[in-house]
Amino acid sequence: TQLLEQSPQFLSIQEGENLTVYCNSSSVFSSLQWYRQEPGEGPVLLVTVVTGGEVKKLKRLTFQFGDARKDSSLHITAAQPGDTGLYLCAGEGWDSGAGSYQLTFGKGTKLSVIP
Amino acid sequence: GAGVSQSPSNKVTEKGKDVELRCDPISGHTALYWYRQRLGQGLEFLIYFQGNSAPDKSGLPSDRFSAERTGESVSTLTIQRTQQEDSAVYLCASSFVVTEAFFGQGTRLTVV
């Protein structure tokens, strides 16, 4: 089974600060997705990155896919209380153990932005 | 419906009882996932179904947990002889092959 490690597991910052969360694996993925989960809801897709080295921006959020397609980062500029939530990465790839293509989710980074 | 539907939304059960959780995926989605999420924690993979392939059961924590899926439709997750540590939100997601995963709102299970 492929594994995705997310760090940090928990992050508490003041409004206006910048932050980066990381998603790492020893496996190569065809693409990598980032999701955000708000309390009481299921996770919702933010972005998909496909090409090694690709950078995508979504307002104050910047997503980067590593050149080797094994890792990704999410950078938030000038964090707002509305950014609070659980951020999950998910890699698409062939899981040889399972014998199928799968989305493999990391455990998530829980972000709290304090006003 | 347009999204992934899970039922019940909340379930309180006594320790030792069996429970069955249901997931109705989006029509046409070949892939279906079950995850467990303890309070304030991240996702814990349980099981994955993809079309008619054998399911990936590698995340099931014990033999008290099992899941079935009928074709590419409804899935049920069964927990036998529930324990207090089984208390969590159980999330189901579906996708078309390995594209965007759509999650249900989850079933909150409380074992007392």
Side-chain angles (χ1 to χ4, degrees):
Chain A
T1 301
Q2 298 172 313
L3 290 175
L4 274 168
E5 299 287 339
Q6 287 192 242
S7 62
Q9 187 177 359
F10 299 96
L11 186 57
S12 181
I13 62 170
Q14 294 290 326
E15 181 177 359
E17 291 184 349
N18 301 332
L19 67 115
T20 302
V21 299
Y22 300 93
C23 176
N24 295 292
S25 177
S26 59
S27 302
V28 175
F29 292 101
S30 305
S31 69
L32 199 132
Q33 303 171 7
W34 283 92
Y35 291 75
R36 179 169 161 236
Q37 183 184 27
E38 297 190 36
E41 303 290 329
V44 175
L45 181 69
L46 294 174
V47 77
T48 301
V49 285
V50 179
T51 307
E54 182 177 1
V55 176
K56 279 193 174 178
K57 293 193 174 183
L58 188 65
K59 297 183 180 178
R60 293 176 293 99
L61 278 60
T62 302
F63 305 85
Q64 183 162 11
F65 202 10
D67 291 341
R69 291 185 288 127
K70 293 183 179 181
D71 55 84
S72 182
S73 63
L74 159 60
H75 182 80
I76 301 178
T77 303
Q80 303 294 311
D83 297 328
T84 294
L86 180 71
Y87 290 83
L88 297 153
C89 64
E92 172 203 343
W94 176 257
D95 188 324
S96 57
S100 63
Y101 281 97
Q102 282 199 33
L103 274 179
T104 301
F105 278 83
K107 290 185 180 289
T109 294
K110 187 172 183 181
L111 172 65
S112 297
V113 181
I114 303 164
Chain B
V4 177
S5 177
Q6 291 188 245
S7 60
S9 54
N10 282 284
K11 176 72 177 178
V12 180
T13 189
E14 291 181 351
K15 179 181 172 180
K17 294 282 180 71
D18 297 352
V19 295
E20 197 172 271
L21 312 181
R22 178 185 170 107
C23 174
D24 283 271
I26 293 172
S27 177
H29 279 191
T30 56
L32 187 145
Y33 306 78
W34 282 99
Y35 289 89
R36 179 168 69 180
Q37 187 172 36
R38 292 197 165 98
L39 185 64
Q41 303 296 314
L43 298 187
E44 180 184 355
F45 169 74
L46 296 177
I47 189 167
Y48 166 66
F49 296 91
Q50 174 60 274
N52 294 317
S53 302
D56 177 0
K57 303 180 180 181
S58 61
L60 294 178
S62 77
D63 58 9
R64 296 188 295 106
F65 287 73
S66 63
E68 293 184 349
R69 188 181 186 192
T70 308
E72 294 183 353
S73 61
V74 171
S75 176
T76 55
L77 175 68
T78 301
I79 308 173
Q80 296 178 311
R81 305 181 301 282
T82 52
Q83 303 295 313
Q84 287 185 329
E85 63 262 28
D86 299 335
S87 296
V89 174
Y90 290 81
L91 286 165
C92 172
S94 72
S95 69
F96 181 68
V97 192
V98 286
T99 56
E100 176 183 358
F102 291 83
F103 283 80
Q105 298 221 325
T107 293
R108 182 176 297 279
L109 175 66
T110 304
V111 182
V112 297

